[in-house]
Amino acid sequence: MNNIASTDTLRYDGKVVVVTGAGGGLGKAYALFFASRGASVVVNDLGGSFKGEGNSTRAADVVVEEIKKAGGKAVPNYDSVEFGDRIIETAVKAFGTVHILINNAGILRDVAFRNMKDADWDLIQNVHVKGTYKCTKAAWPIFRRQKYGRIINTASAAGLFGTFGQTNYSAAKLSVVAFSEVLAKEGAKYNILVNAIAPIAASRMTETVMPAEVLATLGPEWVVPLVAVLVHDSNTQESGGIYEVGAGTVSKIRWERSKGALYKTDASLTPSAISQKWAVVHDFSNPDHPTGPADFMGLLEAAGEMPSNEQGENISFKDKVVLVTGAGAGYATISLGRAYSLLFAKLGASVVVNDVMNPDTTVAEIRKAGGKAVGDKHSVEDGEAVIETCVKAFGTVHIIINNAGILRDKSFAAMTDEQWDQVMGVHLNGTYKVTKAAWPIFLKQKYGRVVNTTSTSGIYGNFGQANYATAKLAILGFSRALAREGVKYNILVNTIAPNAGTAMTRTIMPEAMVQAFKPEYVAPLVVFLSSDNVSSPGTGGLYEVGSGWVGCTRWQRSGGHGFPVDVPLTPEAVHAAWEKITTFSDGRSDNPESTQDGLKNVMKNLQNRKSGGKAKSGVNKEILESIEKAKKLEAAGTAYEFDDKEVILYNLSLGAKKSDLKWVYEGNENFEALPTFGVVPYFGSELPFTFDEIVPNFNPMMLLHGEQFLEIKKFPIPTSGTLTSYPSLVEVADKGAAAVVVTRCETRDSKGDVVFVNESTTFIRGSGGFGGSSKVTDRGAATAANKPPARKPDAVVEEKTSEDQAALYRLNGDRNPLHIDPEFSKVGGFKIPILHGLCFLGIAGKHIYQTFGAFKNLKVRFAGVVLPGQTLRTEMWKEGNRVIFQVTVVETGKPAIQAAAAELLGPGPKL
């Protein structure tokens, strides 16, 4: 990074910037920033929802209008990124060229793998992977010709670590890391720099999956400065990097590889021998930080000098059915798939040998040796047919080795769309299709093993293999996400990067290496990973293997730098801290393995404030005084008149059936309201203050309902009468980038007795930084963390919501069109109107009541969105007089309620 004076402002005068997905969120922030610093901007946005549905020119037009109003230069483009040539053509027609490309467009289709449809998979790959390729491919000749180009590709924590319910997205997002690494190598001689970022920012996409408390502190403005530095002229060498950025933190990520274990390359190199040095494979006490594959020729020579390998416990595959794709004999019988198949059969497995050309030779070898095997000639892109062969021949499948592959190597400049699509189809889509077809079988038998194949070209990037590298690293992202979904069903998923001479690698390796790097030196690891002998957790690993050597590869993250969250971040500040951001040798680096680890630095930095979290004299004094004044205000009281009709309506809106007479028939002797009815009377109560009085910059669109606490103070719960609610302000916490507002509402009956108490915690993004305390007062059960015990739930209840549930629940008093009007919900980024959080709170409360009896209070944290028609799973743990619980959406595997508990009433009056 070139030195610039600390007083210099990074400018982009004369530069043309293309930003995809720039109609909102992070893309809009990029567009506005670059225009404000002198660039001409192409604002691309299809105008659809975050799920990729619909389109509208309005999103791009609004941003362009804002730029022009501020005196900047911009034009809109409304094409999908799948038509990247049109987007780049817009830049050339409007401004003559393009200098900077920010591939930002994205969508989500989150769904558990068991429920994923091909359309969910294909759409994500088309937008994130093919779209990034198409836009870059169109700009590449321009960059080469002018000997200048800057590209930012957008990865994510889901790609780096794998996330439950996001196998499609995780695959796509990790793929762009490899794509960036390859292009960085190919573009270096033309002054084309390419980097990948993993941003953590609030957007239409992240609002559906991130916890409200974290979401409230995030904003795109924390991501833009890093990108601005990476694409500026002062950057002349930072290329091929991976950066994690968000909430004031910036760090760099690189690969870290263990020294690994070396084995003698003779007949004693067996799966059992691999197990004996498994701890050595995972020993990172003296790691490497490579930018390419290991020295396999040197390793092969060293392996030849080793003593024979010590054997461990016997490994058998008796009664196991193994599918190996791409397992034909290959060139001169040199084939990884063949080596795998022969070894599995030798150890007792029934093997399905898949190969589109010739599985028969391998099958004949196995049968001649006394083993069991059948051939399959289907393409892996027809995964269902491949798995059908397994079932027809042997009744099931236990183990899948996704090994099939092709090469279509070309420089990126010369690569055709056909060559790109062919490689993606066989490697990535083939891996997906075969695994998807086997998944229901694995789930049913509660057993499965998957070994997927990546490549060092994917991990580190390799000149002339943009298609291959992208596909191969996408497979790693897919595998890591799948490992998280499969582990509870005893389905283990690992990934290998093999080095061997094969028919495929013969096109790029010298013949001597093809003969020396034997597939038999890789097969023992693959077979071991497929066994029941791998120590826990035994899933989600990445292993480089070949020449009698096995190493484990993981991420290393620099300690990075945290900027104060109450001070606007600038590119100049990022530039000044660059050495600290990119240094790995200062003892602060770590090795994140999950999205939770990925958020560690972000969470730590949330309280990093220049003001130290204390109010400064005279800073937002008006707001602070208004808060104290509002706390003392008393509400006039809002009356709620009701009878059995309102009670029955509420019960029906929580899924009560006509057979539940005590909930739907006023004449039943046990007629009652479900216990969470207490959230209804207070809903429309009039506050004695307004939000814009107690927080700065209040915007109702930035408001998120985070937590709810309900206490039932009087039993039995009345089924008719008049209740009056008196809301008040408890406190307002200053989280820097957001405000946390806690309100309390007492609901009294006609005698003046308190019947219900509700406490609501609301997060308001963009309304912090006023100098208040950052702490939220501990209020006992209302703020308890309620972490589930480390054991199986004591009770689990599943209930499918009705597709009409949102329409019904709103009649309790919530008339927000988000829950009924499809057009309004699409504006909010939702395909259909969503269920009110208090509705699925009530359903969970019903499950607790049915399972453990009446309760006197209940607290929840809302953690996700529920669509009408989805199935809710309430998991409950009884701890003394408390029931800790959580609610998950079955179809997506995503949480709906977390940190929740109910305190049981015990023996006493009925509700």
Side-chain angles (χ1 to χ4, degrees):
M1 193 68 66
N2 288 347
N3 292 325
I4 60 171
S6 59
T7 55
D8 287 351
T9 298
L10 272 62
R11 297 284 303 178
Y12 305 86
D13 301 291
K15 294 294 190 290
V16 178
V17 181
V18 173
V19 184
T20 67
L26 187 51
K28 178 180 178 180
Y30 289 143
L32 295 177
F33 168 82
F34 284 111
S36 74
R37 295 285 183 107
S40 301
V41 182
V42 175
V43 179
N44 160 264
D45 201 279
L46 183 63
S49 74
F50 68 85
K51 291 188 176 182
E53 295 157 342
N55 64 318
S56 168
T57 63
R58 184 62 182 156
D61 289 342
V62 168
V63 178
V64 169
E65 289 169 9
E66 187 172 345
I67 289 172
K68 288 183 175 180
K69 188 175 180 180
K73 293 174 287 184
V75 295
N77 174 276
Y78 317 117
D79 291 299
S80 166
V81 288
E82 295 170 77
F83 302 101
D85 52 334
R86 299 178 189 173
I87 299 171
I88 300 304
E89 184 182 10
T90 298
V92 174
K93 284 184 176 179
F95 304 117
T97 188
V98 58
H99 301 95
I100 298 168
L101 171 62
I102 301 178
N103 286 309
N104 170 75
I107 58 171
L108 287 176
R109 278 295 179 93
D110 293 352
V111 61
F113 191 62
R114 67 191 301 172
N115 298 315
M116 185 170 289
K117 297 179 174 59
D118 288 351
D120 298 319
W121 175 269
D122 293 340
L123 184 59
I124 291 293
Q125 306 315 314
N126 287 341
V127 172
H128 291 274
V129 186
K130 187 68 175 288
T132 297
Y133 158 75
K134 289 291 285 183
C135 290
T136 309
K137 190 73 171 71
W140 197 254
I142 299 172
F143 289 167
R144 279 169 48 108
R145 188 167 55 248
Q146 68 195 14
K147 289 187 168 48
Y148 185 98
R150 299 291 184 268
I151 301 171
I152 296 293
N153 292 323
T154 308
S156 80
L160 298 181
F161 311 115
T163 302
F164 190 105
Q166 291 188 309
T167 52
N168 50 1
Y169 187 70
S170 296
K173 281 307 187 184
L174 193 54
S175 77
V176 302
V177 170
F179 185 59
S180 302
E181 290 172 332
V182 173
L183 294 192
K185 288 178 168 63
E186 294 199 26
K189 67 183 291 186
Y190 298 102
N191 188 26
I192 304 172
L193 307 186
V194 188
N195 288 283
I197 64 165
I200 305 169
S203 68
R204 289 182 298 171
M205 289 196 300
T206 57
E207 282 174 2
T208 66
V209 295
M210 295 193 71
E213 186 171 9
V214 177
L215 188 63
T217 65
L218 301 176
E221 65 273 13
W222 298 105
V223 177
V224 172
L226 169 65
V227 171
V229 170
L230 289 171
V231 302
H232 192 259
D233 285 344
S234 61
N235 176 22
T236 59
Q237 59 187 23
E238 288 287 340
S239 191
I242 312 163
Y243 299 88
E244 185 182 77
V245 56
T249 67
V250 184
S251 57
K252 191 173 184 179
I253 290 177
R254 66 179 181 180
W255 294 107
E256 182 172 81
R257 184 170 66 204
S258 70
K259 284 293 184 185
L262 195 61
Y263 302 84
K264 176 78 171 180
T265 49
D266 63 7
S268 69
L269 178 48
T270 66
S272 177
I274 297 290
S275 70
Q276 287 299 93
K277 293 184 179 180
W278 198 235
V280 179
V281 171
H282 292 87
D283 182 2
F284 282 90
S285 59
N286 187 25
D288 294 322
H289 298 100
T291 57
D295 176 12
F296 284 104
M297 188 58 77
L299 288 167
L300 184 62
E301 292 174 358
E305 301 298 320
M306 298 284 290
S308 290
N309 301 299
E310 181 182 344
Q311 301 299 303
E313 184 180 349
N314 183 53
I315 293 176
S316 172
F317 289 89
K318 185 177 181 297
D319 299 325
K320 292 293 193 295
V321 178
V322 180
L323 165 67
V324 184
T325 68
Y331 162 73
T333 71
I334 298 175
S335 159
L336 278 170
R338 169 185 171 272
Y340 302 155
S341 298
L342 294 176
L343 187 52
F344 274 117
K346 181 180 178 180
L347 296 176
S350 300
V351 182
V352 176
V353 179
N354 162 266
D355 196 274
V356 292
M357 299 298 292
N358 177 27
D360 300 336
T361 303
T362 303
V363 170
E365 283 189 82
I366 291 173
R367 290 176 176 174
K368 184 177 180 181
K372 293 178 287 183
V374 298
D376 176 83
K377 289 189 175 181
H378 293 99
S379 166
V380 288
E381 293 181 80
D382 189 4
E384 292 181 357
V386 176
I387 297 302
E388 185 179 4
T389 298
C390 300
V391 176
K392 284 183 176 179
F394 301 116
T396 187
V397 61
H398 299 97
I399 297 163
I400 293 176
I401 312 300
N402 281 309
N403 170 72
I406 60 171
L407 287 178
R408 297 290 186 270
D409 293 354
K410 284 284 184 181
S411 69
F412 189 61
M415 187 171 290
T416 66
D417 288 355
E418 182 182 17
Q419 291 165 337
W420 176 273
D421 292 340
Q422 286 174 338
V423 169
M424 297 302 296
V426 172
H427 288 275
L428 179 56
N429 291 340
T431 296
Y432 157 74
K433 291 289 285 185
V434 170
T435 309
K436 185 71 173 70
W439 202 251
I441 299 172
F442 287 172
L443 292 174
K444 185 177 181 179
Q445 66 196 16
K446 288 185 169 54
Y447 186 96
R449 299 292 184 269
V450 181
V451 177
N452 289 329
T453 308
T454 185
S455 164
T456 52
S457 295
I459 299 171
Y460 306 112
N462 194 30
F463 193 103
Q465 291 191 309
N467 49 2
Y468 181 70
T470 300
K472 282 305 190 183
L473 206 59
I475 289 171
L476 175 61
F478 171 66
S479 302
R480 286 178 165 173
L482 199 62
R484 298 187 187 281
E485 294 201 29
V487 67
K488 68 184 291 187
Y489 299 101
N490 191 26
I491 305 171
L492 307 184
V493 185
N494 288 285
T495 311
I496 64 160
N499 184 75
T502 66
M504 187 171 75
T505 58
R506 185 171 180 253
T507 63
I508 57 174
M509 275 186 183
E511 186 64 22
M513 287 188 177
V514 172
Q515 297 298 329
F517 297 150
K518 297 184 182 301
E520 288 77 12
Y521 303 156
V522 175
L525 171 66
V526 172
V527 174
F528 173 65
L529 288 171
S530 306
S531 73
D532 297 333
N533 299 58
V534 184
S535 57
S536 181
T539 191
L542 170 60
Y543 303 95
E544 296 182 50
V545 56
S547 300
W549 170 83
V550 181
C552 184
T553 306
R554 66 183 184 182
W555 294 119
Q556 184 188 41
R557 176 174 59 187
S558 71
H561 186 64
F563 298 88
V565 297
D566 58 344
V567 176
L569 184 59
T570 65
E572 293 74 28
V574 172
H575 190 282
W578 196 252
E579 184 175 353
K580 189 174 182 182
I581 289 169
T582 57
T583 296
F584 289 89
S585 58
D586 57 5
R588 297 183 304 121
S589 62
D590 64 354
N591 303 99
E593 296 181 348
S594 67
T595 52
Q596 289 74 25
D597 292 341
L599 285 170
K600 186 177 70 172
N601 286 353
V602 168
M603 299 302 293
K604 186 190 304 182
N605 197 59
L606 293 181
Q607 303 305 318
N608 177 9
R609 303 174 61 195
K610 189 174 182 180
S611 62
K614 298 179 181 179
K616 295 181 179 180
S617 176
V619 175
N620 283 307
K621 183 177 179 181
E622 183 179 351
I623 291 292
L624 295 174
E625 289 177 349
S626 294
I627 291 171
E628 294 307 311
K629 181 180 178 181
K631 288 180 182 178
K632 299 173 184 177
L633 295 176
E634 296 183 0
T638 304
Y640 174 77
E641 295 183 8
F642 70 110
D643 58 22
D644 49 49
K645 181 177 67 176
E646 280 73 26
V647 171
I648 294 170
L649 175 61
Y650 180 73
N651 294 343
L652 287 170
S653 72
L654 298 187
K657 309 299 182 186
K658 64 181 181 180
S659 56
D660 299 319
L661 293 182
K662 66 177 181 178
W663 293 336
V664 299
Y665 176 41
E666 69 282 2
N668 186 274
E669 62 178 349
N670 295 316
F671 179 63
E672 64 180 4
L674 282 164
T676 52
F677 179 73
V679 302
V680 173
Y682 99 101
F683 189 80
S685 56
E686 186 175 347
L687 295 168
F689 58 88
T690 61
F691 278 98
D692 58 3
E693 293 172 336
I694 60 170
V695 297
N697 310 314
F698 175 65
N699 180 349
M701 297 300 291
M702 305 297 277
L703 186 149
L704 295 166
H705 189 177
E707 296 183 346
Q708 185 74 22
F709 174 73
L710 167 66
E711 185 174 11
I712 305 166
K713 303 285 285 186
K714 188 175 181 178
F715 298 91
I717 294 174
T719 55
S720 64
T722 300
L723 299 174
T724 305
S725 295
Y726 301 88
S728 60
L729 178 65
V730 177
E731 61 184 331
V732 182
D734 183 356
K735 294 294 186 178
V740 177
V741 178
V742 181
T743 59
R744 173 185 172 91
C745 185
E746 292 187 353
T747 300
R748 300 176 180 270
D749 61 17
S750 56
K751 295 180 181 179
D753 295 334
V754 178
V755 181
F756 305 116
V757 173
N758 280 276
E759 289 189 12
S760 295
T761 301
T762 303
F763 299 90
I764 309 173
R765 289 170 287 155
S767 291
F770 52 86
S773 171
S774 63
K775 301 290 185 180
V776 175
T777 305
D778 183 351
R779 300 188 306 283
T783 54
N786 301 323
K787 184 178 180 181
R791 68 173 194 271
K792 289 184 178 180
D794 298 316
V796 178
V797 177
E798 287 193 5
E799 180 173 343
K800 183 176 177 60
T801 61
S802 162
E803 293 185 358
D804 300 319
Q805 200 120 25
L808 188 59
Y809 188 85
R810 68 185 294 270
L811 299 180
N812 292 304
D814 170 31
R815 298 302 179 94
N816 188 333
L818 184 64
H819 306 296
I820 189 65
D821 185 350
E823 293 303 317
F824 193 89
S825 65
K826 285 178 183 177
V827 173
F830 304 105
K831 178 180 178 181
I832 61 175
I834 63 175
L835 209 57
H836 197 293
L838 292 177
C839 180
F840 50 89
L841 172 151
I843 293 172
K846 181 181 67 173
H847 294 165
I848 295 168
Y849 180 40
Q850 290 172 310
T851 306
F852 294 104
F855 51 84
K856 56 185 177 182
N857 64 50
L858 176 143
K859 179 258 181 180
V860 305
R861 174 178 296 165
F862 298 111
V865 171
V866 179
L867 302 180
Q870 290 182 326
T871 306
L872 298 176
R873 177 191 293 122
T874 304
E875 297 173 302
M876 296 166 273
W877 295 262
K878 192 172 186 296
E879 295 279 287
N881 202 39
R882 296 169 67 240
V883 175
I884 296 174
F885 68 98
Q886 62 186 22
V887 179
T888 305
V889 179
V890 173
E891 288 80 2
T892 65
K894 295 292 183 181
I897 288 176
Q898 294 178 323
E903 186 177 354
L904 299 177
L905 182 61
K910 85 179 199 73
L911 291 177

